[in-house]
Amino acid sequence: VTFLPFHVEPRNIVDDDPQERVSAEAAILNSRVHYYGRLTGSSDRLLSPPDHVIPRPEEIYIYSPLGTAFKVAGSDHASKNPSIVTIFAIWNTMMGTSILSIPWGIKQAGFTLGVVILIFTGLLMLYCCYIVLKSPKAISCVDTSNWEFPDVCRHYFGKFGQWSSLVFSMVSLIGAMVVYWVLMSNFLYNTGQFIYNYAHNVNVSDSEFGTNGSDKVICPYPNTDPGRNDTMNVLYLGSSGNDTSDGNSFEHYWSKTNTVPLYLITLLLPLLCFRSASFFARFTFLGTISVVYLIVLVTFKAVRLGFHLEFHWFDSTQFYVPEFRLLFPQLTGVLTLAFFIHNCIITLMKSNRHQENNVRDLSVAYLLVGMTYLYVGVLIFASFPSPPLFKDCIEPNFLDNFPTSDVMVFVARTFLLFQMITVYPLLGYLVRVQIMGQIFGNNYPSFFHVLTLNILIVGAGVLMAKFYPNIGSIIRFSGATCGLALVFVFPTLVHMISLRRQGRLSLPSALFHSFLILLGVANLIAQFFL
């Protein structure tokens, strides 16, 4: 930039008294740096200040227009993370709500095909993420050290690329916020129902269709057509989620779709209007605890229930689904969002202490994520008790296949509820910063602007929680939409343009990357026909 930090002799700096005036030598050096800054744009390296003009990092001070010099505390090396921290930061970032829908996605694709698709999609998403990670380094004669992927898109495609990447990034964030609202409504309802039933000694297990015994598994909608898409089944929630015909006041005021989504407004809308989200960032560790507990819960249930598998390759039976089903694009849509980290991978990797290990650490992180998804998905599908239940009873949120009275599932829902209450304002803050920053040039233009945006986001969540509370479909549509641009189209186009400018683009490479774009388009189109 034009106003670069410059060297000030140590004798002119007093640690406890920043008002010490700087020397004439420092002022001359400041003018020299300004001169270089005026010669060219800040992103051009050709006429940037040479190394002998810029002091060593430990000797850099920030010069105030009032003539005050402040020593820069710390160093970049001290803030860097080892590889193990970087790997688990990526794992923790990707481990979102999609993990709850993986068993449902495997059921929609068929067990064998679902496992193959999960592995293949993970490898594909890893490769596209690798392209995104190395894309800034492929741009020569420009300082890309502080660039994100939207900046890369702007470099290659102009304003269209910048705004397109922003819009599709918003689709992923707002889609995640809608899923969070649906899940928070679900978890809050079941938590309240558990407390009410426990306090009043209410036993509802006999009225639920499911297995017997201490590890009860239920089928919430046993009378639906198993051959149809489960995304249609949840439309019954608006009428059958809570039967209020008996006049019970609790059931009247504690409805999963009619009242609980509205109760959340009183808590979350004020939190969204906070100017800073730093307070909520302190609770991100709850995400790790929730995922670890889910893995423990899944392991415990699988051990108690045992495996129930039969392989029927193309035909359904009374209790089992075929190994290959035409509904498999629903799984690819879910996995596109489940493995999606492309819009922030550059930022995450900047904090890695050993930059030369970025590709290795990214690959290990994707391996851990894929193994976690595979572990949860396979165990839930395999241990789902068939018979007496049909495998098609597996819900988009697999926790819905366990009764409200299950204590271990109650703990999982409570953990996830508190985690989402703290993460939801963070997602809203990211949406606000990107939208308001691009439109108004200010992250917080006014309380009215912020409140209007938050009302629109909350309204979308409330409407989906009331009329279409299927997280599987919401995840697959938002994943396929944002994945089309930020996973398949922009990264592959950037990669091909970069290779062509270097004279290294071969015909097989062009065909392969064009095929990736077609896969992204097909993935999105297929969601509308299933």
Side-chain angles (χ1 to χ4, degrees), residues 209-211 305 307-310 317-320 382-391:
F209 180 79
T211 60
L305 294 171
F307 282 1
H308 305 268
L309 287 174
E310 283 187 12
T317 63
Q318 182 180 1
F319 299 107
Y320 297 93
S383 62
F384 193 81
S386 301
L389 302 181
F390 184 49
K391 289 286 187 184

Side-chain angles (χ1 to χ4, degrees), residues 372-387:
T372 305
Y373 288 151
L374 199 62
Y375 184 83
V376 172
V378 168
L379 283 190
I380 289 295
F381 182 90
S383 62
F384 193 81
S386 301

Side-chain angles (χ1 to χ4, degrees), residues 83-97 99 284-296 337-341 344-345 348-349 361-376 419:
S83 292
I84 188 66
V85 174
T86 303
I87 290 170
F88 277 98
I90 298 173
W91 176 84
N92 191 36
T93 304
M94 271 198 279
M95 282 290 109
T97 56
I99 193 173
T284 53
F285 69 93
L286 290 175
T288 304
I289 296 176
S290 300
V291 173
V292 171
Y293 183 79
L294 272 181
I295 295 174
V296 173
L337 193 62
F339 285 108
F340 182 74
I341 198 174
C344 62
I345 188 60
L348 287 173
M349 282 303 187
D361 295 344
L362 178 65
S363 302
V364 173
Y366 260 86
L367 176 63
L368 292 178
V369 171
M371 290 176 62
T372 305
Y373 288 151
L374 199 62
Y375 184 83
V376 172
Q419 178 221 347

Side-chain angles (χ1 to χ4, degrees), residues 416-466:
L416 289 168
L417 176 62
F418 280 105
Q419 178 221 347
M420 292 179 181
I421 289 175
T422 57
V423 173
Y424 190 84
L426 285 175
L427 296 176
Y429 176 78
L430 293 176
V431 172
R432 183 217 309 168
V433 166
Q434 296 192 44
I435 293 180
M436 297 299 183
Q438 289 291 334
I439 297 177
F440 300 103
N442 188 344
N443 297 340
Y444 203 100
S446 72
F447 177 77
F448 174 77
H449 288 85
V450 173
L451 180 62
T452 302
L453 175 64
N454 292 337
I455 289 176
L456 293 176
I457 295 174
V458 168
V462 171
L463 290 176
M464 294 300 288
K466 178 174 177 58

Side-chain angles (χ1 to χ4, degrees), residues 128 221 240 298 349 356 435 441 474 512:
C128 293
Y221 311 104
S240 62
V298 168
M349 282 303 187
E356 67 276 8
I435 293 180
I474 301 172
F512 173 72

Side-chain angles (χ1 to χ4, degrees), residues 169-462:
S169 180
M170 289 300 97
V171 169
S172 66
L173 287 173
I174 295 177
M177 295 184 74
V178 170
V179 171
Y180 269 45
W181 200 277
V182 174
L183 285 174
M184 285 187 293
S185 301
N186 181 305
F187 296 151
L188 181 59
Y189 166 78
N190 283 287
T191 301
Q193 193 73 48
F194 175 89
I195 296 173
Y196 177 85
N197 292 342
Y198 181 80
H200 295 81
N201 295 319
V202 177
N203 186 4
V204 296
S205 59
D206 295 337
S207 62
E208 296 173 319
F209 180 79
T211 60
N212 298 318
S214 57
D215 293 288
K216 186 177 179 65
V217 179
I218 63 173
C219 185
Y221 311 104
N223 297 322
T224 54
D225 182 4
R228 297 187 61 187
N229 176 14
D230 280 354
T231 58
M232 301 301 296
N233 298 344
V234 296
L235 294 177
Y236 291 95
L237 276 173
S239 58
S240 62
N242 299 95
D243 184 6
T244 59
S245 59
D246 61 353
N248 188 301
S249 60
F250 176 77
E251 293 183 358
H252 178 72
Y253 291 106
W254 196 254
S255 168
K256 183 187 294 185
T257 57
N258 295 327
T259 60
V260 173
L262 299 177
Y263 296 155
L264 286 171
I265 297 177
T266 60
L267 172 64
L268 293 173
L269 185 58
L271 297 181
L272 285 175
C273 296
F274 280 22
R275 185 178 293 269
S276 173
S278 58
F279 172 76
F280 304 103
R282 302 174 185 176
F283 298 94
T284 53
F285 69 93
L286 290 175
T288 304
I289 296 176
S290 300
V291 173
V292 171
Y293 183 79
L294 272 181
I295 295 174
V296 173
L297 172 66
V298 168
T299 305
F300 178 81
K301 293 295 184 182
V303 170
R304 295 296 298 269
L305 294 171
F307 282 1
H308 305 268
L309 287 174
E310 283 187 12
F311 295 92
H312 303 273
W313 297 108
F314 299 104
D315 298 321
S316 297
T317 63
Q318 182 180 1
F319 299 107
Y320 297 93
V321 296
E323 299 301 300
F324 300 90
R325 303 182 76 184
L326 295 179
L327 298 174
F328 71 87
Q330 295 182 0
L331 176 60
T332 62
V334 170
L335 291 176
T336 305
L337 193 62
F339 285 108
F340 182 74
I341 198 174
H342 301 61
N343 59 345
C344 62
I345 188 60
I346 296 177
T347 301
L348 287 173
M349 282 303 187
K350 283 179 182 177
S351 62
N352 198 8
R353 182 176 300 169
H354 301 286
Q355 292 292 303
E356 67 276 8
N357 295 332
N358 277 353
V359 176
R360 182 202 67 184
D361 295 344
L362 178 65
S363 302
V364 173
Y366 260 86
L367 176 63
L368 292 178
V369 171
M371 290 176 62
T372 305
Y373 288 151
L374 199 62
Y375 184 83
V376 172
V378 168
L379 283 190
I380 289 295
F381 182 90
S383 62
F384 193 81
S386 301
L389 302 181
F390 184 49
K391 289 286 187 184
D392 230 356
C393 286
I394 298 176
E395 289 295 299
N397 171 11
F398 74 82
L399 293 180
D400 286 341
N401 287 114
F402 298 97
T404 304
S405 57
D406 192 309
V407 176
M408 290 191 67
V409 177
F410 163 76
V411 174
R413 288 173 174 143
T414 305
F415 262 127
L416 289 168
L417 176 62
F418 280 105
Q419 178 221 347
M420 292 179 181
I421 289 175
T422 57
V423 173
Y424 190 84
L426 285 175
L427 296 176
Y429 176 78
L430 293 176
V431 172
R432 183 217 309 168
V433 166
Q434 296 192 44
I435 293 180
M436 297 299 183
Q438 289 291 334
I439 297 177
F440 300 103
N442 188 344
N443 297 340
Y444 203 100
S446 72
F447 177 77
F448 174 77
H449 288 85
V450 173
L451 180 62
T452 302
L453 175 64
N454 292 337
I455 289 176
L456 293 176
I457 295 174
V458 168
V462 171

